[in-house]
Amino acid sequence: MMTSWTTHLPVFVVILPLFVGFILPTLARRLRLVENLVIAVEVISFVMAAALAVLLFKQNGSPIPYAMGGWPAPWGIRIIADNLGVLFLLVIAIVGLPIALYTKGNLREEVGGRSRTARFYALYLLLMGALAGMAVTNDLFNVFVLVEVATLSACGLVSAHRNPRAAEAAFNYLILATLGSGLVMGSIGFLYITTGHLNMEFAARELAQVWQHSPHVVWMAASFMLTGFGVKAAMFPLHVWLPDAHSMAPTPGSAVLSGLAVKGYLICLLKILYNVFGQTLMRHFTMHHVLTAAGIAAILAGSILALRQDELKRRLAYSTVAQVGYIILGFGFVNQRGLAGSLFYLASHALIKSTLFLTAGAIISATGKTKVSELAGVGRKMPLTMGAFTVASLGLVGIPLFSGFVGKWHLLLGSFESGNFAAAAVILAGSVFCAAYLFPILRNAYFQETPGENWQDPGMAQRAAFVLLSAAIIFFGILPTPLLTLAQRAAADLLFLQ
Amino acid sequence: MKIRHIFVAVVVLLALFGMLLMVAELPPYGSADNPGQNMVAQRYINDALEDTGVPNMVTAVVLDYRAYDTMFETIVLFTAALAVVVALKPAEEEGDDA
Amino acid sequence: MRDFILKRMIAVILAFIFVYGFYVILHGHISPGGSFAGGIIVSLSFIAFATVYGIDKGKEKLPEKFLVWVESYGTLWYGLMGLVGICKGAPFLANKLAGIDLGVPGTLSSGGLIGLIGFGVGIRVASTMITLFYTLMEGDA
Amino acid sequence: MINLILALLSGVVGALLTALIPAKNDRLRTTVVFAALASALIFSWRTALLVFAGAELELTFGLAGLTWRLAPDPLGAMFVLIASTLWLVAGLYSAGYMAGKRNLKSYYSFFLLANSITLGVACAGNLVALYLFYELLTLSTYPLVIHERSAEAVKAGAKYIIYSLSGAGALLAAIVITHALTGHSDFTSVPVLAGQTGKGLNWLLALFIAGFGVKAAIMPLHRWLPEAMVAPTPISALLHAVAVVYSGVYGIIRVVYTVFGPELMSSLTFAKALPWIASFTILVGVMIATRQDVLKKRLAYHTISQLSYILLGAFTLQPLGLSGAMLHMISYSLLKVTLFFCAGIIAEQTGETVVSRMGGVGWSLPKTMAAFGVASLGMVGMLPLNTFWSKYYLMRGGVASGSWPLALVLITSGIINAVCFIPTVVAAFKGESQGRVHLESGSSVSLMLVPTVLLAGISLLIGLWPGLVWDGVQAVVNSFF
Amino acid sequence: MTTFLEKLLINYPYVISVILFFIGTLIILTQSNLFKKLLGINVMETATFLMFIAAGNIRGGAVPILSDTNAPYINPLPSALMLTGIVVSISVTAFALALILRLYREYGTVDANEIARLRNGGMEK
Amino acid sequence: MQFVAVDYWIMALSLILMGASLALFFIKDLIHAVIVYGAYSVTMAVIWLLMNTPDLAITEAAAGICTTVMMMVAIYRTRRPKKGNKDEN
């Protein structure tokens, strides 16, 4: 019996949040139960992801495939829990639990009544399920469907906020994201028409044989794919929806959007770029230069825009634009170190940005102040919240022994290996910018006069969330080996190095 | 506003031109030996009845071979229903349970 | 709108639309159409009913609470059908591999789980569409 | 080994305790602070003496996928000695200067934390650990820079942190390249990059120099230093004249002698330009200093100039030059701290911060001004003071490296130094006594005066008997040549 | 060796779908009315569906339901995929309509420019 | 490659498609635009029927009607006389 359960792990990790999400709307009267169910789901997801990781380490990184319905690969959908997938599953699980804890008893103010809250939770779990699906998917059209689930639930999360501007942000997000998924679907269509396969491995094999007869098809497919996922993952010139959406969403929504949803799209993009086009075609069509250029532009522009924001959540949202730039930059290096760094940075940014958003949300709801300049003395009044914020800021800036540093270190290694010194300079400049837009918040919080108001740390569950997240940031800063090994193996898989 | 529209139009026209170049390279429409009609399609066509017991191959693909996709398809619709309610339900309506 | 003739006409046509919708759902696996199209057709009959007779009357027939239940458990139904495969020692969403009797091809009961899944999907598509319609009609009062 | 760990930990533990003590409890806090400083001092001396005696201390951790090593060598031990000694003295001075001021809790916490981190910089056994402590030093001294919380302080702090982090970025790039080239970055008797060839090494060296040069205030990268003078005087004296800037200087010496090594350095084109960059900084820095009217600013620019003396000595790549650099490191730190302490006493007692209005101050504060005079003479390089010896060796090093103009630079700079300081001292004793102004700050003069005079005395002592430190200097030089 | 235009003519369904795709995109990007944007999205998505379906079609082929024809059955896979696609597009439409209604409730208009103007005006206050 | 009758039918219908989609740019009245979209959708369904995919044709017809109905509902609801801007789109 034991073995059968472990063989089904890759599918359980996807369907568990979905199944629980289905029944949540009917439980709207019993909100307590809903909250506890969500937390339980996250705990179980974490256990399952960890079990998958252990399994993967036991077999030295050889992937765990799972054929849906038992149909073999080119006919049915085969999902694969490979290094990349398990890495992202772990990230989802580690970030998801604190976010679920944070929401406990804390949505009334931002979301509203019971039925809305229950549906908010359902959307949250559906998003989690879709992201888990993205982690293990190995099928082009499956990617599209998952992306749609994620997009719709993410828009739903944004629109759940009571603020009228949330609806506008959600609408803009929805329109642009749908445009993006139209492009993605078009691209999948081109690939399907030329290769006749939807399974990534088979499509790649076929594409390697036919691409010379139809270079423009590859061109258009790649540019559609990049633009489509670029819109969804907020690659720099296409990020216009992100600041509104991520700053207007309810706090847990912002955290999960910035921390995980964007990463899910990036993982899909990575899979398609490397598993379908492959590094040969990427180099031939200079996609890696496009990625690098987009990354550099995103880091610089995102940081500068973030510097100019006074609203805390907007500043964090622009910071996400900049940090996505790092990840994209790493995708463009096309070498193992750069990719591993990029993947580790993705994990670390997921942790850090969700911490930042959650603590920012807690601060905003405790103080009622949304502007950076108004937050004088918060550090003294809300030590735990601000402590977590500080840890996350240091991590984002890339101070050694915080998780961001490890990612940056490997990104730098990758950039030097690919001979891209401009990228290295931008990575480092990005850290300085990051300090420039985050440290003033800390300075205001700790070194300004404390106002007499009665601001307090939030409740137990929220504190637990902060402690968990900051512990994770420090843990992966000090002992990155498990994640880093996964990332390195995933990078090797993507580059077909054996 | 106007300049933006012109910019958009130019970009779209350029992309359109690229797309037309691409279309010319696609396998010819309606031919029976397109890459699409490969072993994948052949199995769906030849073995669907035996594999799934239904004569409608589209249904066989939707609900059996690629049932995983279809599960997510229903989830998309479910998500939309949730999201619509979340977006439109008034925030303050305690005790109301739909 | 509240025309007598319209109401009578709709009352007659609706029954046919409704039945046709279920026909499409149930015969999805042996003839063109399918659970999704059928579900929409079923829902359209209710939508027409609610449009003509007023949303309140529509809600009397199909209360929102019921719709939520159908939606939730209809979607869950799909997943449970998938779990049947796992319970029988086959992969998720397995049909033939799980040892389900596929029946006589061409009949309503053929196709093993496909018919069951299709029926669930059809019902819940219909209910979702009606929910969407209700909410759009009077969601924010 | 235990000495090293205790030396590093005492500051951290002290900082934590200080942070936990209620803000009102001054007496307990003072006790804790001095206990921590004293234990840091004792254990650092023991560590340093062990190192000079030839013991190999080494601690290795495998964190974050990298190796972090603590292994003080004679150069590090020298820095440890300077830092821990001056820290205690500055702590004593702080007790007088800061008494009754606001935010003492955060002041002392970060003061102690910075102590540990500086010792960490000194003891770092590879580039990665050095980078960690270097970065942490920036963060832990930032609160001290903005201690006043005024708009000016905040601006200076922002400038400080942006400059330092940019430098750290360049440093990180350099370290990553070094790692990629050699696979390790441990400081051993064999230089890290020994045996490497290629034009890129020039750029690597430039990155290193830019990284550490920010803290060492090499001329185009110096702008944060004069602004950081808004900090309280003990901080300016200790951190921005000695500890923080020495971490940059120390880093550059490390890079030159342990990462590249004299042999490799002498083959690099960029290395040949370095003495001239240092000379430029020496001359321009002191010239700007002469034009400053605010005493602390004058001292700040003077710091910039003097730091490059040390760098110049290191860049000559000669044993004599390095001896001069080491001697100057010791001598200059003693004198500059004295000068700052005097400036602090003058500012606290008379409320005067501008040089041109200091006429007659000498009669009101005779002991302070005497110490100031001694230190000024030292800055010029007059014989009875320790800097004479260091300049002597620096010049010999410059000549030995084949560039006699370097000696000329040093002599010119000495003359400008004289123009810079002697008139101040003379002016201070000219004119009527202004009488002592008692500002209601509650600061205690005697607690400030004792360390000041003590340091001036030590400078004189070393000047009269340089053999006191010569063994240590020789140990450092021998470890590299 | 067929010319470019001949190839285009052979692949005319793709050409149609490409043109429709761009018309849809243009509607999304240039129309400020939210309903128009939504219609644009639908046009764009149906264009993509058309492309897929054309990819699966065989001229003179048979409907992919078992019958006793001799004609080759067409590829059922694109049809199956597009069923999913249609559901997605209808979901998006419904949700977007809900958002439009909410925006109308808040701002009293369904014009994107107008909404932006009202919001910025509201922020200045 | 020889075209057969079906091809010409599809081409003719696709002209309607393009006309309808271009018309969406210019039609001011939203109700009219939605009706045009309904026509577009039905034409599309016919084309798909001609392309041997009756399943999709049925679904698209149903979905098109559903979309049209939902949009109609929404448009009527955004036309409630509020602030007197009844005729504004």
Side-chain angles (χ1 to χ4, degrees):
Chain A
M1 203 58 204
M2 218 30 226
T3 49
S4 80
W5 282 108
T6 48
T7 49
H8 292 304
L9 267 182
V11 67
F12 275 131
V13 91
V14 177
I15 60 176
L16 176 77
L18 297 175
F19 281 18
V20 179
F22 295 155
I23 55 171
L24 287 190
T26 58
L27 301 174
R29 278 195 185 285
R30 304 161 72 187
L31 220 47
R32 265 266 171 70
L33 178 68
V34 171
E35 283 165 352
N36 292 334
L37 261 179
V38 172
I39 291 171
V41 167
E42 291 301 336
V43 171
I44 298 172
S45 294
F46 178 73
V47 171
M48 290 195 293
L52 265 177
V54 169
L55 221 61
L56 203 66
F57 271 108
K58 261 188 195 161
Q59 36 183 287
N60 271 327
S62 63
I64 306 166
Y66 189 93
M68 281 292 162
W71 301 116
W75 296 284
I77 295 174
R78 194 175 63 164
I79 62 175
I80 286 188
D82 54 359
N83 293 297
L84 179 64
V86 171
L87 172 75
F88 192 51
L89 282 177
L90 272 178
V91 172
I92 295 171
I94 295 169
V95 177
L97 176 60
I99 294 177
L101 279 174
Y102 178 89
T103 52
K104 198 167 158 64
N106 203 17
L107 283 175
R108 168 67 50 84
E109 188 188 328
E110 288 181 311
V111 175
R114 282 161 183 239
S115 58
R116 277 170 76 99
T117 309
R119 282 175 169 76
F120 180 89
Y121 277 115
L123 286 173
Y124 171 73
L125 283 185
L126 292 178
L127 179 54
M128 286 310 208
L131 290 171
M134 286 180 189
V136 293
T137 186
N138 191 35
D139 185 280
L140 283 170
F141 200 76
N142 196 229
V143 166
F144 167 74
V145 182
L146 290 168
V147 160
E148 275 304 334
V149 176
T151 306
L152 269 176
S153 48
C155 288
L157 289 181
V158 174
S159 74
H161 201 287
R162 298 170 162 195
N163 193 327
R165 288 186 61 192
E168 199 200 340
F171 188 80
N172 286 337
Y173 182 17
L174 185 67
I175 294 291
L176 282 175
T178 312
L179 185 58
S181 36
L183 291 172
V184 169
M185 183 150 77
S187 170
I188 291 170
F190 307 152
L191 288 174
Y192 177 69
I193 293 173
T194 39
T195 65
H197 281 289
L198 287 170
N199 186 287
M200 287 190 195
E201 292 158 28
F202 285 81
R205 215 173 292 160
E206 193 70 27
L207 193 65
Q209 288 167 5
V210 301
W211 71 269
Q212 270 145 334
H213 307 296
S214 44
H216 287 103
V217 178
V218 183
W219 244 127
M220 287 322 276
S223 50
F224 268 42
M225 201 60 92
L226 275 177
T227 323
F229 277 115
V231 170
K232 284 165 176 294
M235 255 158 75
F236 164 61
L238 309 169
H239 69 283
V240 283
W241 57 269
L242 184 139
D244 277 331
H246 285 197
S247 61
M248 282 299 140
T251 300
S254 308
V256 73
L257 288 188
S258 249
L260 292 178
V262 167
K263 310 299 185 305
Y265 303 134
L266 287 175
I267 291 279
C268 289
L269 177 64
L270 183 67
K271 280 189 174 185
I272 291 176
L273 279 182
Y274 280 88
N275 283 349
V276 179
F277 292 110
Q279 55 165 326
T280 329
L281 279 190
M282 277 184 71
R283 284 184 197 279
H284 188 269
F285 289 94
T286 63
M287 286 177 223
H288 60 303
H289 289 318
V290 175
L291 287 170
T292 318
I296 289 175
I299 293 175
L300 295 178
S303 305
I304 291 167
L305 287 169
L307 267 175
R308 294 157 54 109
Q309 306 299 321
D310 193 28
E311 224 168 288
L312 182 54
K313 278 178 97 175
R314 273 186 92 77
R315 186 175 283 202
L316 296 179
Y318 273 109
S319 153
T320 300
V321 175
Q323 304 296 320
V324 164
Y326 278 100
I327 298 163
I328 303 256
L329 192 60
F331 289 175
F333 289 151
V334 204
N335 57 38
Q336 193 191 357
R337 285 165 162 175
L339 268 178
S342 181
L343 288 173
F344 192 87
Y345 200 83
L346 183 148
S348 122
H349 180 245
L351 286 169
I352 290 170
K353 195 42 73 66
S354 40
T355 317
L356 286 177
F357 266 116
L358 290 185
T359 47
I363 290 167
I364 288 170
S365 67
T367 64
K369 306 269 170 68
T370 58
K371 298 258 167 75
V372 171
S373 48
E374 297 169 342
L375 292 172
V378 180
R380 309 276 180 82
K381 296 274 176 178
M382 306 171 71
L384 200 108
T385 313
M386 210 56 210
F389 191 92
T390 312
V391 168
S393 307
L394 294 178
L396 201 62
V397 175
I399 304 294
L401 302 187
F402 292 94
S403 61
F405 172 72
V406 184
K408 278 189 183 157
W409 176 274
H410 285 86
L411 275 176
L412 281 174
L413 279 177
S415 73
F416 289 129
E417 192 178 322
S418 71
N420 198 336
F421 291 93
V426 170
I427 290 172
L428 295 167
S431 305
V432 177
F433 276 124
C434 190
Y437 61 71
L438 284 177
F439 284 178
I441 304 172
L442 301 183
R443 188 194 65 224
N444 272 348
Y446 285 113
F447 300 118
Q448 293 291 338
E449 285 307 309
T450 315
E453 276 146 276
N454 186 23
W455 298 340
Q456 274 182 341
D457 270 333
M460 270 325 281
Q462 285 77 16
R463 289 187 205 191
F466 297 155
V467 169
L468 274 179
L469 278 170
S470 15
I473 294 171
I474 295 172
F475 177 79
F476 288 116
I478 293 176
L479 294 171
T481 323
L483 275 191
L484 196 58
T485 314
L486 275 178
Q488 279 162 342
R489 283 180 182 167
D493 291 350
L494 290 172
L495 295 168
F496 297 101
L497 304 171
Q498 282 311 325
Chain B
M1 255 318 89
K2 267 281 188 280
I3 293 170
R4 183 175 143 253
H5 288 186
I6 292 168
F7 176 74
V8 166
V10 168
V11 168
V12 167
L13 281 178
L14 275 180
L16 182 63
F17 181 70
M19 293 279 284
L20 289 182
L21 277 182
M22 182 209 80
V23 165
E25 282 173 1
L26 288 178
Y29 159 73
S31 146
D33 47 3
N34 276 344
Q37 320 288 345
N38 56 2
M39 58 170 180
V40 183
Q42 286 316 309
R43 165 140 187 194
Y44 292 150
I45 291 167
N46 295 332
D47 301 352
L49 191 65
E50 193 191 321
D51 282 345
T52 65
V54 294
N56 186 344
M57 297 159 204
V58 176
T59 307
V61 174
V62 166
L63 289 180
D64 203 334
Y65 291 107
R66 296 183 70 88
Y68 185 60
D69 265 358
T70 313
M71 185 178 85
F72 280 103
E73 170 206 307
T74 61
I75 292 172
V76 170
L77 201 58
F78 182 68
T79 314
L82 289 180
V84 166
V85 175
V86 164
L88 279 181
K89 202 154 196 98
E92 345 277 341
E93 208 169 313
E94 266 334 282
D96 168 84
D97 270 72
Chain C
M1 281 284 260
R2 308 262 179 271
D3 199 357
F4 177 78
I5 299 173
L6 190 63
K7 283 187 180 179
R8 289 300 136 206
M9 284 290 286
I10 285 290
V12 176
I13 295 172
L14 269 189
F16 285 103
I17 299 179
F18 188 76
V19 171
Y20 177 67
F22 268 99
Y23 174 85
V24 173
I25 292 178
L26 289 174
H27 287 74
H29 53 298
I30 43 181
S31 68
S35 43
F36 184 71
I40 292 183
I41 293 170
V42 171
S43 77
L44 281 175
S45 69
F46 268 97
I47 290 171
F49 178 82
T51 317
V52 172
Y53 285 86
I55 190 102
D56 295 329
K57 206 132 189 202
K59 278 195 174 175
E60 261 172 44
K61 296 264 191 259
L62 273 181
E64 277 182 79
K65 204 166 180 175
F66 173 73
L67 290 176
V68 170
W69 276 75
V70 173
E71 251 170 64
S72 290
Y73 289 98
T75 320
L76 189 62
W77 172 253
Y78 199 122
L80 292 178
M81 287 296 110
L83 286 182
V84 167
I86 288 184
C87 291
K88 294 211 166 190
F92 186 63
L93 287 170
N95 186 10
K96 187 188 171 192
L97 267 183
I100 313 274
D101 180 24
L102 294 184
V104 185
T107 59
L108 206 59
S109 62
S110 68
L113 295 179
I114 288 179
L116 291 173
I117 295 177
F119 186 70
V121 171
I123 298 280
R124 72 162 295 285
V125 166
S127 79
T128 307
M129 285 300 157
I130 298 168
T131 313
L132 291 179
F133 179 75
Y134 279 177
T135 323
L136 289 179
M137 275 295 264
E138 53 144 42
D140 60 328
Chain D
M1 194 57 55
I2 190 77
N3 288 322
L4 175 61
I5 297 170
L6 283 175
L8 288 180
L9 280 183
S10 50
V12 176
V13 173
L16 286 178
L17 287 177
T18 314
L20 292 176
I21 293 169
K24 300 275 177 235
N25 201 340
D26 284 332
R27 185 178 290 266
L28 184 56
R29 180 168 51 239
T30 316
T31 319
V32 169
V33 169
F34 279 100
L37 284 175
S39 93
L41 179 75
I42 292 165
F43 291 112
S44 330
W45 273 84
R46 292 181 60 132
T47 314
L49 293 177
L50 276 174
V51 171
F52 282 129
E56 300 255 330
L57 300 179
E58 189 183 333
L59 269 179
T60 312
F61 310 91
L63 302 176
L66 299 165
T67 315
W68 311 75
R69 192 160 164 267
L70 286 175
D73 64 348
L75 174 63
M78 186 64 89
F79 187 22
V80 164
L81 287 184
I82 298 171
S84 60
T85 313
L86 290 177
W87 226 282
L88 181 65
V89 178
L92 211 57
Y93 183 84
S94 299
Y97 184 89
M98 298 299 291
K101 295 214 168 68
R102 289 182 309 139
N103 295 330
L104 285 182
K105 192 160 126 178
S106 84
Y107 174 83
Y108 280 114
S109 305
F110 287 104
F111 186 73
L112 290 176
L113 199 59
N115 181 12
S116 270
I117 292 168
T118 313
L119 295 181
V121 170
C123 295
N126 62 7
L127 282 174
V128 183
L130 183 58
Y131 171 76
L132 167 67
F133 287 117
Y134 190 74
E135 186 98 89
L136 288 181
L137 187 59
T138 308
L139 297 182
S140 65
T141 51
Y142 172 74
L144 296 172
V145 174
I146 61 160
H147 182 78
E148 300 290 338
R149 314 283 198 264
S150 60
E152 194 195 356
V154 166
K155 203 166 146 252
K159 202 162 197 174
Y160 172 56
I161 208 149
I162 296 294
Y163 267 77
S164 296
L165 286 181
S166 311
L171 187 56
L172 181 60
I175 292 174
V176 170
I177 296 175
T178 312
H179 234 268
L181 283 176
T182 63
H184 79 105
S185 61
D186 293 353
F187 302 151
T188 53
S189 50
V190 183
V192 177
L193 288 169
Q196 299 283 337
T197 50
K199 281 235 167 94
L201 288 178
N202 274 316
W203 291 103
L204 184 57
L205 180 62
L207 274 178
F208 268 119
I209 299 289
F212 285 117
V214 169
K215 285 243 169 79
I218 294 181
M219 207 53 176
L221 309 170
H222 69 284
R223 298 185 72 95
W224 61 272
L225 206 155
E227 305 235 347
M229 288 299 148
V230 295
T233 302
I235 296 307
S236 303
L238 185 62
L239 297 170
H240 304 118
V242 178
V244 168
V245 289
Y246 267 21
S247 71
V249 171
Y250 166 81
I252 289 182
I253 299 178
R254 263 281 162 242
V255 167
V256 170
Y257 287 95
T258 335
V259 178
F260 282 81
E263 283 170 38
L264 184 57
M265 280 291 287
S266 57
S267 71
L268 292 179
T269 332
F270 185 63
K272 300 200 173 64
L274 284 174
W276 301 107
I277 295 176
S279 309
F280 174 78
T281 309
I282 291 175
L283 290 177
V284 176
V286 77
M287 278 182 215
I288 298 177
T290 317
R291 294 160 55 101
Q292 299 295 320
D293 202 19
V294 178
L295 185 52
K296 275 180 92 174
K297 282 241 162 130
R298 180 179 288 197
L299 292 176
Y301 277 103
H302 186 248
T303 302
I304 295 168
S305 160
Q306 292 285 320
L307 290 171
S308 283
Y309 275 60
I310 307 173
L311 294 180
L312 180 61
F315 289 152
T316 56
L317 304 175
Q318 301 294 327
L320 287 172
L322 186 59
S323 315
M326 283 296 109
L327 273 175
H328 202 70
M329 217 167 154
I330 302 166
S331 332
Y332 159 76
S333 60
L334 295 170
L335 290 172
K336 186 39 90 50
V337 173
T338 315
L339 283 177
F340 265 108
F341 283 0
C342 294
I345 297 176
I346 295 168
E348 282 295 298
Q349 294 299 314
T350 68
E352 203 56 77
T353 56
V354 179
V355 177
S356 56
R357 282 183 294 187
M358 280 188 184
V361 170
W363 300 118
S364 343
L365 303 163
K367 288 176 206 152
T368 311
M369 253 359 248
F372 192 91
V374 169
S376 304
L377 289 182
M379 285 306 161
V380 181
M382 293 284 199
L383 182 56
L385 278 153
N386 48 8
T387 39
F388 170 77
W389 301 106
S390 55
K391 281 199 181 176
Y392 171 68
Y393 277 103
L394 286 175
M395 285 185 213
R396 281 186 64 183
V399 173
S401 75
S403 329
W404 56 267
L406 292 179
L408 208 61
V409 166
L410 291 172
I411 293 170
T412 321
S413 148
I415 294 168
I416 304 176
N417 264 314
V419 176
C420 180
F421 283 111
I422 305 295
T424 315
V425 183
V426 175
F429 287 99
K430 230 193 259 173
E432 291 296 302
S433 163
Q434 293 181 331
R436 200 170 286 186
V437 184
H438 280 283
L439 299 175
E440 292 177 21
S441 57
S443 50
S444 147
V445 195
S446 54
L447 264 178
M448 290 151 74
L449 207 51
V450 168
T452 317
V453 175
L454 183 72
L455 286 176
I458 297 177
S459 308
L460 265 171
L461 185 65
I462 296 179
L464 292 172
W465 183 25
L468 200 60
V469 293
W470 185 245
D471 288 345
V473 171
Q474 280 309 302
V476 175
V477 173
N478 288 337
S479 70
F480 294 126
F481 287 99
Chain E
M1 188 65 199
T2 42
T3 63
F4 177 65
L5 281 178
E6 275 173 353
K7 278 181 182 168
L8 283 189
L9 194 62
I10 290 169
N11 279 340
Y12 70 94
Y14 300 142
V15 177
I16 295 165
S17 92
V18 163
I19 292 171
L20 288 178
F21 187 92
F22 279 100
I23 290 175
T25 315
L26 272 179
I27 292 177
I28 297 172
L29 293 180
T30 58
Q31 297 289 308
S32 66
N33 189 302
L34 301 182
F35 283 109
K36 288 274 187 74
K37 279 180 192 275
L38 199 49
L39 289 175
I41 281 185
N42 276 300
V43 169
M44 188 193 79
E45 291 197 326
T46 39
T48 331
F49 304 158
L50 178 62
M51 185 183 70
F52 267 92
I53 290 163
N57 193 17
I58 296 175
R59 194 175 275 111
V63 172
I65 296 172
L66 279 189
S67 53
D68 40 1
T69 60
N70 289 323
Y73 292 112
I74 68 155
N75 187 352
L77 185 56
S79 318
L81 302 182
M82 287 312 104
L83 269 177
T84 308
I86 290 174
V87 177
V88 167
S89 92
I90 216 171
S91 311
V92 169
T93 309
F95 184 32
L97 282 175
L99 287 174
I100 291 176
L101 284 183
R102 185 155 160 214
L103 283 173
Y104 181 75
R105 184 176 69 193
E106 308 287 352
Y107 294 104
T109 175
V110 291
D111 189 277
N113 297 336
E114 193 80 352
I115 288 173
R117 198 177 58 76
L118 284 172
R119 188 197 58 207
N120 292 334
M123 272 173 70
E124 276 162 25
K125 263 178 235 167
Chain F
M1 179 65 58
Q2 284 297 306
F3 284 154
V4 293
V6 179
D7 290 310
Y8 297 118
W9 271 103
I10 293 176
M11 284 181 197
L13 287 171
S14 62
L15 285 183
I16 300 180
L17 284 185
M18 279 181 221
S21 56
L22 281 176
L24 290 181
F25 275 105
F26 307 110
I27 298 177
K28 284 276 175 286
D29 190 332
L30 286 175
I31 292 287
H32 294 181
V34 171
I35 290 169
V36 168
Y37 175 73
Y40 170 95
S41 155
V42 169
T43 318
M44 193 61 108
V46 173
I47 288 183
W48 292 354
L49 195 61
L50 294 178
M51 284 187 173
N52 293 325
T53 49
D55 294 75
L56 276 181
I58 290 179
T59 312
E60 169 66 16
I65 291 169
C66 203
T67 310
T68 316
V69 168
M70 285 196 297
M71 293 196 79
M72 288 277 199
V73 169
I75 289 171
Y76 274 117
R77 293 206 49 204
T78 57
R79 281 198 170 177
R80 269 179 317 188
K82 240 187 193 177
K83 297 180 198 166
N85 53 354
K86 192 182 176 184
D87 289 324
E88 204 177 307
N89 296 326

